[in-house]
């Protein structure tokens, strides 16, 4: 990367300086209890925060959580995150009740060297996500006033042209944090000259969400393995019955064209787990991919498919995986995702897990995170990077 990083900032000295850190603390919360169900994104930013704390900075952390409508909404408060962050850092994290208002200003003003504050959800202010340059810029001015330097360590948000990601760096000395630096270094290996064979595994629900990355990857990969809900649109394109499975009818012709152009690189399921209903206790059986009953829906790839995918992965030297193979949140339909993940860990390949649901699945299924080369914190950001798009947050750091 041709941008300054955290080590450059630390070398200049940060003791006593207010350092505004854009983190991605958009963690999943239990709807009933409000408890954090996966703290992976909080842990990911600890190396940057710990380095700043040890160097005596007054650390001001900001993040979004969920999709509030530009106004305060208790269900999207970052207060639970402040508590967990404090536990992981081993010191209290001061919490501001607003983003740039009186509470934020007084909380930051009261920080001692080496202390950490967390601002309330950035998206409680409509200026954060506004498409109006002036409105977004006005919020960025207020946010930048809380810091003397800026660190972007929110890779999961760098594909968003939001105030805290795109506009604040123009107003403060800015560097990339440890996480952002690592993410870009890893993904650059995939877009540069990856060691071959290069095998990509894509899952998730919709072809339309992954179409751009499929188009970008097809010329460069050796095999493209497709599972998850998106596989049924491909199976339909092959002329198969998919029952009541998730289907994007408008994408069938596109999938047919992709299959014709793929030179055999695309590998689809040969069997699926078909159920009577989308429910954890639904009656289900493994059926051939070309024999899904009309009244059933596919909720996972089958064991023969797992074996075939594992065989393809065993030959790989580079692997990128984005998207679960089935509804892994339900135990009956988690075997496909588990099987593919375990197959990846058994290879000698350099493996990258592309964030989002894939990273959540690794943790939910109790798999050893260290068995993968890298687990990204940004699903959408990592996909857009592989598509070759300019990411606003990275471009802002380069300026």
């Amino acid at each position: 990367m041709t941008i300054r990083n955290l080590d450059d900032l630390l070398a200049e000295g940060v003791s006593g300086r207010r350092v505004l850190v854009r983190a991605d603390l958009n963690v999943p919360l239990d709807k009933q209890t409000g408890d954090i169900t996966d703290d992976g994104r909080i842990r990911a930013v600890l190396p940057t925060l710990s380095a700043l704390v040890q160097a005596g900075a007054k650390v001001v952390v900001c993040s979004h959580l969920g999709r509030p409508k530009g106004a305060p909404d208790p269900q999207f408060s970052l207060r639970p995150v402040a508590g967990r962050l404090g536990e992981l850092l081993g010191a209290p994290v001061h919490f501001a009740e607003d983003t740039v208002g009186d509470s934020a200003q007084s909380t930051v003003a009261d920080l001692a060297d080496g202390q950490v504050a967390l601002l309330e959800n950035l998206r409680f202010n409509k200026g954060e996500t506004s498409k109006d340059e002036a409105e977004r810029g006005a919020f960025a001015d207020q946010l930048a006033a809380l810091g003397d330097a800026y660190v972007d360590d929110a890779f999961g948000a760098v594909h968003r042209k939001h105030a805290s990601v795109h506009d604040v760096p123009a107003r403060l000395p800015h560097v990339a944090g440890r996480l952002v630096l690592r993410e870009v270094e890893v993904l650059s290996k995939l877009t540069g000259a990856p060691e071959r064979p290069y095998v990509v595994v894509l899952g998730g629900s919709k072809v339309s969400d992954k179409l751009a990355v499929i188009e970008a990857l097809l010329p460069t990969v050796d095999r493209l393995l497709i599972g998850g809900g998106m596989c049924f649109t491909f199976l339909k394109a092959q002329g198969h019955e998919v029952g009541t499975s998730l289907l994007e009818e408008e994408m069938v012709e596109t999938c047919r064209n992709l299959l014709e152009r793929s030179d055999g690189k695309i590998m689809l399921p040969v069997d699926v787990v078909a159920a009577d209903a989308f429910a954890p206790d639904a009656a289900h059986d493994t059926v051939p991919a070309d024999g899904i009953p009309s009244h059933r829906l596919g909720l996972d790839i089958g064991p023969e498919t797992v074996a075939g995918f594992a065989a393809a992965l065993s030959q790989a030297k580079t692997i990128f995986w984005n998207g679960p193979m089935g509804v892994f949140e339900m135990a009956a339909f988690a075997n496909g995702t588990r099987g593919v993940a375990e197959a990846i860990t058994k290879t000698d390949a350099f493996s990258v897990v592309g964030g989002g649901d894939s990273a959540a699945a690794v943790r939910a299924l109790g798999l050893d995170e260290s068995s993968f080369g890298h687990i990204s914190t940004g699903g959408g950001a990592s996909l857009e990077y592989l598509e070759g798009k300019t990411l606003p947050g990275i471009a802002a750091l380069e300026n």
Side-chain angles (χ1 to χ4, degrees):
M1 293 175 68
T2 57
I3 60 177
R4 300 174 72 242
N5 61 55
L6 184 65
D7 288 335
D8 297 318
L9 181 64
L10 293 173
E12 295 170 359
V14 294
S15 181
R17 297 175 68 189
R18 301 170 304 160
V19 179
L20 183 65
V21 179
R22 178 49 161 106
D24 178 12
L25 306 177
N26 185 28
V27 295
L29 301 175
D30 185 288
K31 292 182 179 179
Q32 303 299 321
T33 65
D35 294 335
I36 296 168
T37 58
D38 181 356
D39 65 2
R41 284 177 171 159
I42 303 176
R43 292 177 179 276
V45 76
L46 291 179
T48 288
L49 298 184
S50 297
L52 289 167
V53 166
Q54 291 168 13
K58 299 176 179 181
V59 185
V60 183
V61 184
C62 60
S63 177
H64 72 285
L65 192 154
R67 296 180 181 272
K69 306 298 183 182
D73 185 337
Q75 68 175 317
F76 296 116
S77 174
L78 279 168
R79 181 175 286 281
V81 175
R84 182 58 180 148
L85 180 58
E87 291 173 1
L88 293 170
L89 285 172
V93 169
H94 303 269
F95 184 66
E97 302 287 346
D98 54 29
T99 54
V100 293
D102 293 342
S103 179
Q105 293 173 36
S106 62
T107 300
V108 173
D110 291 342
L111 284 178
D113 294 359
Q115 290 188 331
V116 179
L118 175 62
L119 306 180
E120 185 54 285
N121 193 334
L122 291 168
R123 292 185 182 175
F124 284 1
N125 189 307
K126 61 181 180 180
E128 166 68 359
T129 60
S130 177
K131 290 181 169 54
D132 181 274
E133 299 278 347
E135 183 175 36
R136 208 175 61 241
F139 180 57
D141 287 339
Q142 294 176 289
L143 199 55
L146 298 174
D148 302 308
Y150 171 86
V151 178
D152 189 344
D153 216 28
F155 182 74
V158 294
H159 60 314
R160 306 295 189 191
K161 193 175 183 181
H162 291 170
S164 64
V165 175
H166 178 263
D167 300 282
V168 171
R171 291 158 168 79
L172 290 173
H174 49 270
V175 301
R178 300 244 194 273
L179 175 62
V180 165
L181 190 67
R182 172 64 176 161
E183 293 273 14
V184 174
E185 286 175 344
V186 166
L187 293 174
S188 294
K189 292 183 180 180
L190 302 183
T191 57
E195 191 174 357
R196 296 186 179 280
Y198 177 22
V199 178
V200 171
V201 187
L202 293 181
S205 58
K206 295 182 178 180
V207 178
S208 53
D209 291 342
K210 305 284 173 72
L211 178 61
V213 76
I214 293 173
E215 294 274 13
L217 288 172
L218 260 185
T220 62
V221 302
D222 296 294
R223 298 302 297 271
L224 179 57
L225 318 182
I226 295 180
M230 62 189 291
C231 78
F232 299 106
T233 304
F234 279 94
L235 292 174
K236 184 73 171 180
Q238 290 184 321
H240 302 319
E241 168 67 57
V242 297
T244 60
S245 304
L246 187 63
L247 175 67
E248 290 183 281
E249 191 70 52
E250 71 280 6
M251 297 296 296
V252 171
E253 186 59 33
T254 299
C255 290
R256 187 175 293 118
N257 290 334
L258 286 170
L259 290 168
E260 291 174 354
R261 292 192 284 114
S262 72
D263 294 325
K265 291 180 179 179
I266 293 178
M267 188 173 179
L268 296 174
V270 295
D271 61 344
V272 301
V273 180
D276 285 344
F278 188 87
D281 57 352
H284 58 275
D285 295 292
T286 299
V287 300
D290 59 359
I292 301 173
S294 60
H295 67 285
R296 286 191 149 186
L297 72 162
L299 296 181
D300 196 11
I301 59 173
E304 285 189 38
T305 300
V306 172
F309 282 11
L313 289 165
S314 70
Q315 305 299 314
K317 293 298 183 183
T318 305
I319 297 170
F320 176 72
W321 169 36
N322 180 280
M325 298 292 98
V327 188
F328 72 91
E329 298 90 345
M330 301 179 188
F333 312 111
N335 292 331
T337 302
R338 180 188 299 278
V340 167
E342 289 179 343
I344 293 172
T345 67
K346 293 174 182 176
T347 72
D348 294 327
F350 173 66
S351 59
V352 179
V353 180
D357 289 339
S358 305
V362 167
R363 290 186 281 268
L365 296 174
L367 301 173
D368 183 1
E369 294 183 49
S370 66
S371 298
F372 301 90
H374 178 70
I375 297 180
S376 178
T377 56
S382 60
L383 289 178
E384 291 195 16
Y385 191 96
L386 294 184
E387 290 167 26
K389 289 185 176 180
T390 297
L391 306 183
I394 300 300
L397 294 175
E398 290 175 333
N399 292 333

